[in-house]
Amino acid sequence: DAGVTQSPTHLIKTRGQQVTLRCSPISGHKSVSWYQQVLGQGPQFIFQYYEKEERGRGNFPDRFSARQFPNYSSELNVNALLLGDSALYLCASSLVLQQANQPQHFGDGTRLSIL
Amino acid sequence: DAKTTQPTSMDCAEGRAANLPCNHSTISGNEYVYWYRQIHSQGPQYIIHGLKNNETNEMASLIITEDRKSSTLILPHATLRDTAVYYCIVRHSAGGYQKVTFGTGTKLQVIP
């Protein structure tokens, strides 16, 4: 079975530009979460979506937005890119929203570099 | 949020058991302990999770103390491919969603 897939794998942008990252969850998984991982640190929670609605947001500015589609895939958008947005962006999926005993499964991420 | 504390790094000889400790002294009764690992340039890989009882799967064993304030991940026979950063996290539900907080993890180096 296919795991969580993310595209693109690598991306280079310049300051001020906008970027869209994509995620396809594991088949049957309805919840998608996004994380930012800066070099040398653990992943930081950005958003969680379930049934096309935002269900949780971490401490990130409004430049970060996301959406989930009827097929449960998701996009993360970042506007007005800053150098500090350079990071590995990870998507994770899980079966449902509120079961803490269901593990999240991660994709391999999109490496975003801002010049 | 219940936070976790892990050693920054550990070494383990190939073929020996790797025991990775985690402190989660503020864990609440309905919070699960999860372990993930991340090999360079890949996404975190789920290993195992537990609530109260010790757990074992094909990858590892998880030992949770009776007071649940700490746990240990055991890789019974470490191989070079087990070299990775290991994250211990506490998983909870709040306000209708599951927020997951990662620390900086333990960098495990398996030595030949």
Side-chain angles (χ1 to χ4, degrees):
Chain A
D1 288 343
V4 177
T5 57
Q6 294 186 242
S7 64
T9 55
H10 293 83
L11 201 52
I12 299 175
K13 292 285 189 178
T14 58
R15 283 179 295 174
Q17 285 189 311
Q18 174 266 341
V19 68
T20 298
L21 311 179
R22 295 176 176 81
C23 171
S24 293
I26 292 172
S27 177
H29 284 195
K30 297 183 178 181
S31 179
V32 169
S33 296
W34 287 95
Y35 293 81
Q36 180 195 66
Q37 186 174 25
V38 174
L39 195 63
Q41 298 182 17
Q44 299 299 306
F45 173 76
I46 308 175
F47 288 113
Q48 183 173 35
Y49 274 76
Y50 178 71
E51 295 288 6
K52 297 176 289 182
E53 291 187 9
E54 180 184 307
R55 300 302 184 108
R57 173 186 282 259
N59 188 25
F60 280 82
D62 292 343
R63 299 185 295 108
F64 289 76
S65 64
R67 55 180 176 169
Q68 186 177 33
F69 299 98
N71 65 354
Y72 304 110
S73 68
S74 178
E75 288 181 352
L76 175 70
N77 296 286
V78 187
N79 294 322
L81 288 166
L82 303 174
L83 292 178
D85 295 331
S86 294
L88 179 67
Y89 287 86
L90 295 161
C91 173
S93 75
S94 57
L95 274 171
V96 293
L97 177 66
Q98 286 185 321
Q99 291 187 3
N101 64 344
Q102 291 290 329
Q104 291 186 341
H105 296 274
F106 286 80
D108 283 337
T110 294
R111 173 73 62 187
L112 176 63
S113 299
I114 310 301
L115 303 179
Chain B
D1 298 349
K3 298 197 184 301
T4 62
T5 304
Q6 300 177 252
T8 303
S9 63
M10 294 181 64
D11 290 338
C12 178
E14 188 178 16
R16 304 297 294 270
N19 296 281
L20 292 90
C22 179
N23 181 286
H24 32 79
S25 58
T26 60
I27 194 170
S28 62
N30 61 352
E31 292 179 324
Y32 285 77
V33 178
Y34 274 77
W35 284 83
Y36 286 82
R37 72 180 182 185
Q38 188 171 26
I39 297 170
H40 184 62
S41 298
Q42 297 181 18
Q45 177 190 23
Y46 165 75
I47 302 173
I48 198 167
H49 72 282
L51 183 63
K52 297 179 183 178
N53 301 320
N54 298 337
E55 301 287 344
T56 296
N57 63 20
E58 65 278 4
M59 290 183 67
S61 295
L62 174 60
I63 309 297
I64 302 174
T65 58
E66 190 170 345
D67 63 8
R68 303 209 325 122
K69 292 184 177 181
S70 65
S71 61
T72 301
L73 178 74
I74 301 173
L75 308 178
H77 304 286
T79 71
L80 298 179
R81 289 180 295 179
D82 292 323
T83 292
V85 177
Y86 286 77
Y87 294 101
C88 166
I89 62 174
V90 171
R91 184 94 175 271
H92 61 95
S93 297
Y97 72 97
Q98 297 172 13
K99 181 179 178 182
V100 177
T101 301
F102 285 80
T104 52
T106 295
K107 183 174 176 57
L108 175 68
Q109 182 72 47
V110 179
I111 303 169

